[in-house]
Amino acid sequence: MASLSPAAALRVARQAYLCNGLAMLLAFPIGFAGAAPAPALVANMTAGTGPGQVGVLGGAEDAGKFGPPSFVVLPDESLVVLDAVNLRLNVISKRGFVKAIALDTLHAPRDLAFAAGKLYVWDDSVVQVAKYSAAGGLIALPRHNGQQESSSLAVRAARSAFADAGLAGKGDGGNLESTSAMSVTDSSGRSWNYRVARQREGLALKVWRADGEPTTLALPLGGVAEGAALIAIDSQGNFYVRAEQFDSAEGAVSANIFVAKFNSAGKRLAYFSLPDGEGWVTSGRVFSISPTGRVYVANDADGFGIHELSASAEPAAPPVAVRPKQALVEAARSIPEERAAILARADLFYKLAWPLAPANYNGKYSSVCDKSAGKFWLRPSRLNGKTGETIKAVPYAWGIKDTLVGFSKKIGAGALAGNVCTCRDPKVNDCVIREVAGIDCSGLVSRAWNIVPLGTSGLAAKGRQLDRIEQLLPGDILNKAGSHVILFVAFNPTATPPSVTAYESSLHCDGVCRRDIPLRQLRGYKLYSPAFLER
């Protein structure tokens, strides 16, 4: 059966009501036989700042969309959505929007994890923001000042979740938990450990508790890279493993991402596949599992919709042959001089230290992104509350492609630092404010390539398209024309999760960063080498 788009799912839903910008659909598909039915829309939040709405930035041409990066399911089956733009949590039950929990003391929350009755966010560190009980529901903690024991089992599970999401790395192909076992808590709050081992025909997870024997969860996976992570254990003791295998198709990154459900003895019971098409959210851990075993994913093609997946007897795409990994790692270690120069130019934007003066923080514009009200300057959240401090990295600025010298001069002259409000509307100059200082994604790549600044479509025209991921060399790009572009540094096929190290200027980073980006977040990105360089 063909998958419905989120918009189509909304139209055909029979039972829906609107509550403060939140559409709740009260249908839950059951059963499995062969191919899974289309995902069922459970809740849809419109974009905005009102109750039950979520902040969504980007989505215009040359601005990758940035909205809620993740959500979790609580023991009572209610949903908690991380609204990173509006700095809050939205709590949703089957009856509709329940409440919002402010996160206004945080700077740039980028992921959400629930473990042993505690709710954590990643804000450059693990921060507990709320606690849950059956009697009291979800209760916010005052000031969100990290009120947890750093060595607790719940914190360790949260750290593992954030590492699995590709956060907390150093942009060097490593990972927060790369030298130790990962951790998950089950619906009773008990801690489980797991390790991923590579086998001739895929991956195997060894799962164990401190007081028990290990269980092996085997998955036949292949491709140029493959990954797996234990993401949940339901109230019946079943294990849920997110599996992913990556390759190339028509010069772009292809990915097959699904959840495999195992019983406590390690027998595969069912599969839940991430649908093809645009908008499916691949930040965070992709899938959220309820204590009763419901599997949810999100789509941001129209607001932010949460969908329930139905089980199938097989994954949507069959396993592909395992490919050797060591040669790919070795090939990335030698960087020709002209390519090293490209990376060095990008690194200058990443490492630049500059003072955030009051004029750069608050100018003649209020920090509001509302095109209908004629307001389209929004300060990057990582700068909030940091007036007078020295900031690292050039901030993201929509439509701006400053040189390093130009950026420094503008900041010194009192220009506003950065702008994450984006649109495509010639009546308001596409929401571009020329006096703002910073750089956008294609601007960073253009400056690194040392060419006249171009957009993502122009960069594709300046590039030589490659066939396969393995052909990427430092200084090449992964480009989604009309959306976003990153500058390739290295390929990490055996990392957890499989990733590429890259420089980018993005809404995710609020500016220029070097980070390890999980391959699952690059589905559909095309591969290019600068045409002016010989290969």
PDB file of all heavy atoms in Angstrom, residues 276-295:
ATOM      1  N   ASP A 276       9.206   6.211   3.101  1.00  0.00           N
ATOM      2  CA  ASP A 276       9.902   7.057   2.155  1.00  0.00           C
ATOM      3  C   ASP A 276       9.180   8.401   2.056  1.00  0.00           C
ATOM      4  O   ASP A 276       8.069   8.556   2.566  1.00  0.00           O
ATOM      5  CB  ASP A 276       9.952   6.400   0.770  1.00  0.00           C
ATOM      6  CG  ASP A 276      10.846   5.160   0.757  1.00  0.00           C
ATOM      7  OD1 ASP A 276      11.835   5.140   1.515  1.00  0.00           O
ATOM      8  OD2 ASP A 276      10.527   4.216   0.001  1.00  0.00           O
ATOM      9  N   GLY A 277       9.794   9.336   1.361  1.00  0.00           N
ATOM     10  CA  GLY A 277       9.158  10.631   1.155  1.00  0.00           C
ATOM     11  C   GLY A 277       9.760  11.711   2.017  1.00  0.00           C
ATOM     12  O   GLY A 277      10.643  11.468   2.858  1.00  0.00           O
ATOM     13  N   GLU A 278       9.287  12.929   1.811  1.00  0.00           N
ATOM     14  CA  GLU A 278       9.839  14.100   2.479  1.00  0.00           C
ATOM     15  C   GLU A 278       9.227  14.304   3.866  1.00  0.00           C
ATOM     16  O   GLU A 278       8.101  13.900   4.135  1.00  0.00           O
ATOM     17  CB  GLU A 278       9.600  15.349   1.623  1.00  0.00           C
ATOM     18  CG  GLU A 278      10.366  15.364   0.312  1.00  0.00           C
ATOM     19  CD  GLU A 278      11.865  15.421   0.522  1.00  0.00           C
ATOM     20  OE1 GLU A 278      12.320  16.166   1.402  1.00  0.00           O
ATOM     21  OE2 GLU A 278      12.588  14.707  -0.194  1.00  0.00           O
ATOM     22  N   GLY A 279      10.000  14.950   4.717  1.00  0.00           N
ATOM     23  CA  GLY A 279       9.470  15.451   5.980  1.00  0.00           C
ATOM     24  C   GLY A 279       9.655  14.556   7.184  1.00  0.00           C
ATOM     25  O   GLY A 279       9.457  15.012   8.315  1.00  0.00           O
ATOM     26  N   TRP A 280      10.012  13.281   6.981  1.00  0.00           N
ATOM     27  CA  TRP A 280      10.143  12.410   8.146  1.00  0.00           C
ATOM     28  C   TRP A 280      11.360  12.838   8.966  1.00  0.00           C
ATOM     29  O   TRP A 280      12.453  13.001   8.453  1.00  0.00           O
ATOM     30  CB  TRP A 280      10.253  10.949   7.708  1.00  0.00           C
ATOM     31  CG  TRP A 280       9.007  10.499   7.019  1.00  0.00           C
ATOM     32  CD1 TRP A 280       8.832  10.294   5.683  1.00  0.00           C
ATOM     33  CD2 TRP A 280       7.731  10.264   7.628  1.00  0.00           C
ATOM     34  NE1 TRP A 280       7.532   9.936   5.418  1.00  0.00           N
ATOM     35  CE2 TRP A 280       6.836   9.907   6.592  1.00  0.00           C
ATOM     36  CE3 TRP A 280       7.261  10.311   8.938  1.00  0.00           C
ATOM     37  CZ2 TRP A 280       5.483   9.613   6.842  1.00  0.00           C
ATOM     38  CZ3 TRP A 280       5.928  10.008   9.181  1.00  0.00           C
ATOM     39  CH2 TRP A 280       5.063   9.661   8.143  1.00  0.00           C
ATOM     40  N   VAL A 281      11.134  13.041  10.250  1.00  0.00           N
ATOM     41  CA  VAL A 281      12.152  13.623  11.130  1.00  0.00           C
ATOM     42  C   VAL A 281      13.166  12.548  11.506  1.00  0.00           C
ATOM     43  O   VAL A 281      12.809  11.518  12.096  1.00  0.00           O
ATOM     44  CB  VAL A 281      11.497  14.225  12.388  1.00  0.00           C
ATOM     45  CG1 VAL A 281      12.558  14.762  13.338  1.00  0.00           C
ATOM     46  CG2 VAL A 281      10.522  15.340  11.984  1.00  0.00           C
ATOM     47  N   THR A 282      14.441  12.783  11.168  1.00  0.00           N
ATOM     48  CA  THR A 282      15.499  11.809  11.447  1.00  0.00           C
ATOM     49  C   THR A 282      16.503  12.324  12.465  1.00  0.00           C
ATOM     50  O   THR A 282      17.543  11.715  12.659  1.00  0.00           O
ATOM     51  CB  THR A 282      16.229  11.417  10.150  1.00  0.00           C
ATOM     52  OG1 THR A 282      16.676  12.602   9.472  1.00  0.00           O
ATOM     53  CG2 THR A 282      15.313  10.632   9.233  1.00  0.00           C
ATOM     54  N   SER A 283      16.220  13.457  13.108  1.00  0.00           N
ATOM     55  CA  SER A 283      17.043  13.877  14.242  1.00  0.00           C
ATOM     56  C   SER A 283      16.611  13.077  15.459  1.00  0.00           C
ATOM     57  O   SER A 283      15.672  12.288  15.415  1.00  0.00           O
ATOM     58  CB  SER A 283      16.879  15.381  14.487  1.00  0.00           C
ATOM     59  OG  SER A 283      15.512  15.704  14.694  1.00  0.00           O
ATOM     60  N   GLY A 284      17.295  13.260  16.584  1.00  0.00           N
ATOM     61  CA  GLY A 284      16.968  12.460  17.757  1.00  0.00           C
ATOM     62  C   GLY A 284      17.174  10.981  17.472  1.00  0.00           C
ATOM     63  O   GLY A 284      18.081  10.575  16.764  1.00  0.00           O
ATOM     64  N   ARG A 285      16.268  10.153  17.972  1.00  0.00           N
ATOM     65  CA  ARG A 285      16.388   8.705  17.786  1.00  0.00           C
ATOM     66  C   ARG A 285      15.419   8.191  16.735  1.00  0.00           C
ATOM     67  O   ARG A 285      15.249   6.992  16.570  1.00  0.00           O
ATOM     68  CB  ARG A 285      16.178   7.989  19.117  1.00  0.00           C
ATOM     69  CG  ARG A 285      17.034   8.564  20.253  1.00  0.00           C
ATOM     70  CD  ARG A 285      17.084   7.661  21.449  1.00  0.00           C
ATOM     71  NE  ARG A 285      18.061   6.603  21.253  1.00  0.00           N
ATOM     72  CZ  ARG A 285      18.237   5.597  22.098  1.00  0.00           C
ATOM     73  NH1 ARG A 285      17.466   5.505  23.176  1.00  0.00           N
ATOM     74  NH2 ARG A 285      19.156   4.675  21.875  1.00  0.00           N
ATOM     75  N   VAL A 286      14.734   9.083  16.040  1.00  0.00           N
ATOM     76  CA  VAL A 286      13.805   8.805  14.938  1.00  0.00           C
ATOM     77  C   VAL A 286      12.494   8.218  15.454  1.00  0.00           C
ATOM     78  O   VAL A 286      11.414   8.758  15.201  1.00  0.00           O
ATOM     79  CB  VAL A 286      14.407   7.873  13.859  1.00  0.00           C
ATOM     80  CG1 VAL A 286      13.436   7.729  12.679  1.00  0.00           C
ATOM     81  CG2 VAL A 286      15.756   8.377  13.385  1.00  0.00           C
ATOM     82  N   PHE A 287      12.551   7.104  16.161  1.00  0.00           N
ATOM     83  CA  PHE A 287      11.364   6.407  16.639  1.00  0.00           C
ATOM     84  C   PHE A 287      11.194   6.620  18.148  1.00  0.00           C
ATOM     85  O   PHE A 287      12.177   6.665  18.891  1.00  0.00           O
ATOM     86  CB  PHE A 287      11.474   4.908  16.378  1.00  0.00           C
ATOM     87  CG  PHE A 287      11.721   4.537  14.944  1.00  0.00           C
ATOM     88  CD1 PHE A 287      13.017   4.413  14.459  1.00  0.00           C
ATOM     89  CD2 PHE A 287      10.663   4.307  14.078  1.00  0.00           C
ATOM     90  CE1 PHE A 287      13.258   4.060  13.137  1.00  0.00           C
ATOM     91  CE2 PHE A 287      10.894   3.957  12.755  1.00  0.00           C
ATOM     92  CZ  PHE A 287      12.195   3.833  12.275  1.00  0.00           C
ATOM     93  N   SER A 288       9.944   6.726  18.588  1.00  0.00           N
ATOM     94  CA  SER A 288       9.627   6.718  20.016  1.00  0.00           C
ATOM     95  C   SER A 288       8.672   5.560  20.286  1.00  0.00           C
ATOM     96  O   SER A 288       7.700   5.371  19.542  1.00  0.00           O
ATOM     97  CB  SER A 288       9.000   8.043  20.457  1.00  0.00           C
ATOM     98  OG  SER A 288       9.957   9.084  20.465  1.00  0.00           O
ATOM     99  N   ILE A 289       8.958   4.817  21.346  1.00  0.00           N
ATOM    100  CA  ILE A 289       8.204   3.590  21.652  1.00  0.00           C
ATOM    101  C   ILE A 289       7.468   3.781  22.975  1.00  0.00           C
ATOM    102  O   ILE A 289       8.056   4.209  23.972  1.00  0.00           O
ATOM    103  CB  ILE A 289       9.138   2.370  21.765  1.00  0.00           C
ATOM    104  CG1 ILE A 289      10.190   2.367  20.652  1.00  0.00           C
ATOM    105  CG2 ILE A 289       8.320   1.088  21.797  1.00  0.00           C
ATOM    106  CD1 ILE A 289       9.655   2.236  19.265  1.00  0.00           C
ATOM    107  N   SER A 290       6.187   3.449  22.997  1.00  0.00           N
ATOM    108  CA  SER A 290       5.423   3.551  24.238  1.00  0.00           C
ATOM    109  C   SER A 290       5.651   2.303  25.088  1.00  0.00           C
ATOM    110  O   SER A 290       6.098   1.266  24.581  1.00  0.00           O
ATOM    111  CB  SER A 290       3.930   3.705  23.928  1.00  0.00           C
ATOM    112  OG  SER A 290       3.359   2.448  23.588  1.00  0.00           O
ATOM    113  N   PRO A 291       5.315   2.355  26.378  1.00  0.00           N
ATOM    114  CA  PRO A 291       5.465   1.162  27.224  1.00  0.00           C
ATOM    115  C   PRO A 291       4.663  -0.035  26.731  1.00  0.00           C
ATOM    116  O   PRO A 291       5.026  -1.181  27.004  1.00  0.00           O
ATOM    117  CB  PRO A 291       4.961   1.646  28.600  1.00  0.00           C
ATOM    118  CG  PRO A 291       5.177   3.124  28.582  1.00  0.00           C
ATOM    119  CD  PRO A 291       4.914   3.542  27.162  1.00  0.00           C
ATOM    120  N   THR A 292       3.581   0.205  26.000  1.00  0.00           N
ATOM    121  CA  THR A 292       2.768  -0.898  25.495  1.00  0.00           C
ATOM    122  C   THR A 292       3.199  -1.346  24.100  1.00  0.00           C
ATOM    123  O   THR A 292       2.565  -2.215  23.500  1.00  0.00           O
ATOM    124  CB  THR A 292       1.283  -0.494  25.452  1.00  0.00           C
ATOM    125  OG1 THR A 292       1.138   0.688  24.656  1.00  0.00           O
ATOM    126  CG2 THR A 292       0.759  -0.245  26.844  1.00  0.00           C
ATOM    127  N   GLY A 293       4.260  -0.735  23.567  1.00  0.00           N
ATOM    128  CA  GLY A 293       4.804  -1.196  22.298  1.00  0.00           C
ATOM    129  C   GLY A 293       4.321  -0.465  21.064  1.00  0.00           C
ATOM    130  O   GLY A 293       4.561  -0.918  19.946  1.00  0.00           O
ATOM    131  N   ARG A 294       3.638   0.649  21.223  1.00  0.00           N
ATOM    132  CA  ARG A 294       3.278   1.455  20.057  1.00  0.00           C
ATOM    133  C   ARG A 294       4.527   2.162  19.540  1.00  0.00           C
ATOM    134  O   ARG A 294       5.325   2.676  20.328  1.00  0.00           O
ATOM    135  CB  ARG A 294       2.192   2.473  20.400  1.00  0.00           C
ATOM    136  CG  ARG A 294       0.870   1.850  20.845  1.00  0.00           C
ATOM    137  CD  ARG A 294      -0.190   2.942  21.031  1.00  0.00           C
ATOM    138  NE  ARG A 294      -1.430   2.411  21.559  1.00  0.00           N
ATOM    139  CZ  ARG A 294      -2.396   1.889  20.826  1.00  0.00           C
ATOM    140  NH1 ARG A 294      -2.246   1.800  19.510  1.00  0.00           N
ATOM    141  NH2 ARG A 294      -3.508   1.430  21.375  1.00  0.00           N
ATOM    142  N   VAL A 295       4.670   2.236  18.224  1.00  0.00           N
ATOM    143  CA  VAL A 295       5.860   2.819  17.597  1.00  0.00           C
ATOM    144  C   VAL A 295       5.453   4.079  16.846  1.00  0.00           C
ATOM    145  O   VAL A 295       4.595   4.040  15.955  1.00  0.00           O
ATOM    146  CB  VAL A 295       6.522   1.815  16.632  1.00  0.00           C
ATOM    147  CG1 VAL A 295       7.752   2.430  15.974  1.00  0.00           C
ATOM    148  CG2 VAL A 295       6.904   0.539  17.379  1.00  0.00           C
TER     149      VAL A 295
END
